[in-house]
Amino acid sequence: MLLESVEYTRPRNLDEALRALASREGAAVLAGGQSLVNVLKNRVASVDLLVDVSRLDELRRIEVGADGGLEIGACVTYDELERSDDIRGAQPMLASAAGHIEDRQIRNRGTIGGNCCLSDPSNNLPPLLIALGATMNVQGPGGGRQVPAEDFFFGYFMPALEPGEILRSISIPPLADDAGVGYQALSVGHDSKAIVRAAAHVRGGDTIEDARVVLAVVGPRPVRHSAMEDLLNGAPASAETVERASEAIGDGDGLEPISDAHGSADYRRRVARVLARRAVYEAMMRGARS
Amino acid sequence: MSDERDPVVSDEGTAHAIEVTINGETHKRTVLARQLLVHFLRDTLGLQGTHVGCDTGSCGACSVIVDGQLIKSCMMLAPQVDGASIETVEGLAQDGELNVLQRSFNENHGLQCGYCTPGMLMAATDLLRRNPNPSEDEIRHGIRGNICRCTGYVNIVKSIKAAAEAGAGAAEEASR
Ligand SMILES: Cc1cc2nc3c(=O)[nH]c(=O)nc-3n(C[C@H](O)[C@H](O)[C@H](O)COP(=O)(O)OP(=O)(O)OC[C@H]3O[C@@H](n4cnc5c(N)ncnc54)[C@H](O)[C@@H]3O)c2cc1C
Ligand code: FES
Ligand code: FES
C-alpha cells in the first residue's frame, strides 16, 4: 500500500529530534514503527512528518547504576531487552516479558518506548513497568521531566505526553533482595494479544510489604488495585493471604473492560481476580526463592 | 551510506537518495518516504520474491533480513534502510542451485501454494543462524511470525529440521 504523502527525517541527536517535532503540528515520533506504520496505512491519524528516532544512540543505551537500578533508552528493542545480561540480571521478568512479545520480526523492531507511548491497554510492557515502580523520563523543548509509570498511561492511545515531547528513557529501581515479581496473562494464543493481564510485586519475606498489583486490559489504562494491595501489606506471606486479598477484586466492580470477539467485559472482570491472585502468588514464590 | 543531502520535498512528501546493498549488490535510488520497503523491493527493484500477504505486519510473507535482523518489510519505510545490507529470498540460491534449506522444502513438501514460502525461508534462515540445531519447539517459536494457510506447518517444521540435519544450520552460523 502507498501511504498518504508524508515527510521523513532522521535527526542526528535528541535536540534535533525535539526541534523537528516542534516544527509542525502533524509531526510524529517514529520508533520501531510496528504500530505507527499500520496507523499510517489506515490513515486514521494526520501525520505529515515522521521523526525517526530509532537509531539515536542517546535513546539506545542500557545503563546500570551503582545501586543496581536501570535506565533503559526508549529505543531499546524487545530483542535487546531479552538478550541484555544487565536486564536479565536486574529485572529477569522484564527480559522474559519482552521475549514473548508476538514474534521475532516484531521483537527485532519494536521498542520499549514505543510499547509505552502507544498506550494501548493490551500492550505487554506497561502493566509490568508499573509493578516494577518505573519512572518515565520525558524530554520536551523546555527541558526534562519525570512521570511515574502509573501516571503515564492516560487512556486508550493517550500517553501522558505533551505535544513536542519525547520519551527519552525509563528508569527502574533495583529489586530488593527479598522482592519478587509475577506476571500473568490470559492470551488469545501463544505469545499473542492478551485478554487480561496482571502484574505484581511483593517483598518482605514472612510478612508482605510493598505490594503492587496491576491489572490491565480491563479498562482504558492499566490500574493498580489498592484495595487488594492494602489487604496484602502487613499480612503473613501465605496462599491464604493471597486468596483472601484477591477477594477485594470481587467480580471486578469498578473495572471498565471492553467486550470483543475474545471475551466479554463480564468475563474479563472475572478473570482479573484469578490472574491477580496467580501473579501475586508467583511474585511471593519468586521472592522467597531469591 | 549516501552522501548527506537534504531530501527533496514535493506534494508527495520527501524523496530521499538512498544506497542499499541487496544480496551483495549495491543499489542507489531515490525513494519517497511514503514507500514501504516491500514495495521498494518489489516495484522499484523488481525483486518480486518477497510477497505481500496481509500488509498489516501479521503474516510474515514479506519477511527479509536487514543488517542481520529478520523484519517484516511491510512495516518499514524505504528511506529507513539507507546504508543497510538486505537479504531477500532471491539471494538464497547459489550459482543457480537451490541451497540446502530450499532443497529441503522441496523434498519434504514444505510448501503447497508457495505464497508464504519466501518469508518462511527467510525466517528459517534467521533461525538456523542463531540456532543451528533447533528442536521442534524452537522451530515453531522461530516461525511464530509466519502464517501458512496451506500446509498446517507439519512439513515446514520437517523441512527446517531436515535442513538443519543436512548442515544448513552450521553453514548459516559460519556465514554470520
Ligand atoms: C501483528 C502485530 C502484533 C502485535 N502484538 C503485540 C502484542 O501482543 N503485545 C504488544 O505489546 N505489542 C504488540 N504489537 C505492537 C508492537 O509491540 C509495537 O512495537 C508497539 O506497540 C509500538 O512500539 P514501536 O517501537 O514499534 O513504536 P512505533 O510504532 O514507532 O510508535 C508507536 C507510537 O508511540 C509513539 N512513540 C514511539 N516512541 C516514542 C518516544 N520515544 N517518545 C514519544 N513517542 C513515541 C509514536 O509516535 C506512535 O504514536 C504488535 C504489532 C503487530 C504489527
Ligand atoms: S505482508 Fe508484511 S507481514 Fe503480512
Ligand atoms: S504454502 Fe500456501 S500459504 Fe504456505
Side-chain angles (χ1 to χ4, degrees), chain A residues 230-249:
Chain A
D230 290 345
L231 290 172
L232 290 167
N233 286 325
S238 68
E240 295 75 61
T241 298
V242 180
E243 176 72 46
R244 211 165 333 110
S246 73
E247 280 162 22
I249 299 176

Side-chain angles (χ1 to χ4, degrees), chain B residues 111-117 147-151:
Chain B
L111 62 151
Q112 287 178 24
C113 80
Y115 205 87
C116 68
T117 313
I147 290 176
C148 175
R149 287 297 195 216
C150 300
T151 64

